[in-house]
Amino acid sequence: MIISIESIDPERARELLARNKKNRRLDKGTVERYAEAMRRGEWQLSHQGIAISGSGELLDGQHRLEAIIKAHVAIEMPVAQGMSEDIFSVLDTGKRRSPSDALRLAGATDTLNLAAALRYLHIYLSSPDSKWSGSNTRLTNDQILDLRDRHPRMEDCIREARPISAGTGIITSACATALYMTLDTVPEKEAKSWVMGITTGANLDIGDPRLALRNFFTNVRAISGKRRIDAREHIAIYIKAWNAWRVGRPVKILFFRKGEDMPRPVGASLLFK
C-alpha cells in the first residue's frame, strides 16, 4: 500500500471515476453536500480520501470525486494505492460524527435539540416553503458550528423551550427556533407574559391565541399516530398564534393547511435581512 497526498482537480476526478466498477449507488444528496462544503472552503485534509486496488479499481471515494467535479475545484486528499479488494466490505462501516457530536465537542449542551433547532432556523431563513426533509436539508458539521457562532442565544432558547414543551407538547427544538425568532421583538415584560401563558395556560380566556396554541397541541397529543405533525408545522402554528397575540386578534382554532406558505413572525423583519 502506498499513500500520497494529491491535489485532485475535476479532470483527475473523472479519470479515477472511470475505474469505478463495484462501488455503492451514488447518493446525489451526499454529492451536493460535499460540493457545497468544497465551494465554501470547509473541506479539510484528513486521513479520509481515495482508495485504489492493486488492479487500479476505485474502491472508495466516489462521492468525494463527484463533488470535486460538481464544485469545479481542486481538493487535496490522501490517495491510497495498492489496496486489497477484500477491504471493500468494511469500508464506511464506522459511526459518523453527527452535528450533535460536533456541538458536544465544542462545549455545547443538549446538543441533539440544539443541532435540530439550528437546522430549522437555517431552513426557515433560506427556504421556508420547501420540504424540510431529505438529503438537501442536511447541514455539515462546519455549517452547524458556524450557525451556533452566529446565533449564540439559541442555547438559551433551548433551555426556555423545555418547560413550554412539557406544558404543551410542542417539539422542544421547534419551540426553541420559534422563541429565537420572536421573543427579542417585544419588551421583556411582554415576552414573559407570552411564555407564561403558553406554558401554564393560567387565566387565559377563550379567544386568547395562547390558549388556542395550547389547545392545538393538546389535540395533537389526542390524535397521536393518526396524523404526523412535523417540526415545520409546529413552528408554523406557534408563529400564527404569536402573530395573532401581537396584533390583539382573537383566535379560537389554529390550523396549518397542506401546501400553505410558512408565516413570518410579526416584528422579526431584521432577522430576514
Side-chain angles (χ1 to χ4, degrees):
M1 176 170 49
I2 300 173
I3 300 177
S4 59
I5 305 299
E6 185 176 331
S7 179
I8 301 178
D9 61 15
E11 183 179 354
R12 174 63 169 152
R14 291 188 183 92
E15 178 189 328
L16 292 168
L17 284 167
R19 312 177 194 177
N20 188 22
K21 298 178 181 178
K22 297 181 181 177
N23 237 305
R24 298 172 291 175
R25 179 180 297 178
L26 194 70
D27 184 326
K28 292 182 179 179
T30 297
V31 172
E32 183 60 38
R33 289 201 312 278
Y34 286 1
E36 287 295 330
M38 291 173 181
R39 291 188 191 107
R40 291 191 299 266
E42 294 174 359
W43 199 271
Q44 298 184 36
L45 178 64
S46 72
H47 65 288
Q48 295 176 306
I50 308 302
I52 301 171
S53 73
S55 63
E57 184 176 339
L58 179 68
L59 298 177
D60 191 25
Q62 65 166 340
H63 288 88
R64 298 180 185 90
L65 295 171
E66 292 283 0
I68 287 171
I69 295 170
K70 191 173 185 66
H72 303 289
V73 296
I75 297 291
E76 281 195 339
M77 59 181 62
V79 178
Q81 305 207 44
M83 303 292 293
S84 168
E85 293 185 14
D86 292 339
I87 70 166
F88 190 79
S89 63
V90 298
L91 293 174
D92 297 320
T93 57
K95 185 178 184 298
R96 295 182 183 274
R97 184 168 291 167
S98 68
S100 175
D101 294 331
L103 288 167
R104 188 177 298 108
L105 290 170
T109 59
D110 201 352
T111 55
L112 285 174
N113 278 320
L114 179 58
L118 289 170
R119 175 176 168 271
Y120 298 150
L121 178 64
H122 173 80
I123 298 172
Y124 186 92
L125 295 178
S126 59
S127 52
D129 301 320
S130 66
K131 190 175 180 181
W132 284 32
S133 60
S135 59
N136 291 334
T137 65
R138 295 173 192 160
L139 301 180
T140 66
N141 292 351
D142 283 335
Q143 284 178 289
I144 286 290
L145 293 173
D146 178 62
L147 284 166
R148 184 205 180 199
D149 289 341
R150 289 192 283 120
H151 304 284
R153 199 174 63 78
M154 185 64 83
E155 292 180 71
D156 293 331
C157 290
I158 293 290
R159 287 188 285 272
E160 292 179 70
R162 287 196 205 105
I164 299 173
S165 176
T168 63
I170 187 173
I171 298 170
T172 300
S173 52
C175 182
T177 303
L179 286 169
Y180 183 85
M181 294 190 292
T182 55
L183 289 192
D184 280 354
T185 66
V186 295
E188 184 178 356
K189 184 177 180 180
E190 290 184 40
K192 286 184 177 179
S193 175
W194 166 261
V195 170
M196 182 63 70
I198 62 174
T199 303
T200 68
N203 304 315
L204 300 182
D205 297 325
I206 294 176
D208 191 313
R210 294 170 294 179
L211 181 61
L213 182 147
R214 289 181 56 83
N215 288 343
F216 175 88
F217 288 109
T218 297
N219 291 334
V220 166
R221 283 175 168 172
I223 64 171
S224 177
K226 296 180 182 179
R227 185 170 79 88
R228 185 174 180 272
I229 311 294
D230 60 15
R232 182 173 182 266
E233 185 167 352
H234 280 225
I235 293 172
I237 291 295
Y238 180 107
I239 294 173
K240 283 191 166 189
W242 168 266
N243 288 349
W245 182 74
R246 282 293 313 277
V247 301
R249 185 178 73 251
V251 171
K252 292 182 180 180
I253 299 174
L254 290 165
F255 55 87
F256 186 64
R257 297 185 180 91
K258 184 177 181 181
E260 184 177 349
D261 289 345
M262 286 293 283
R264 179 174 290 197
V266 169
S269 57
L270 290 177
L271 194 64
F272 298 89
K273 290 185 176 180

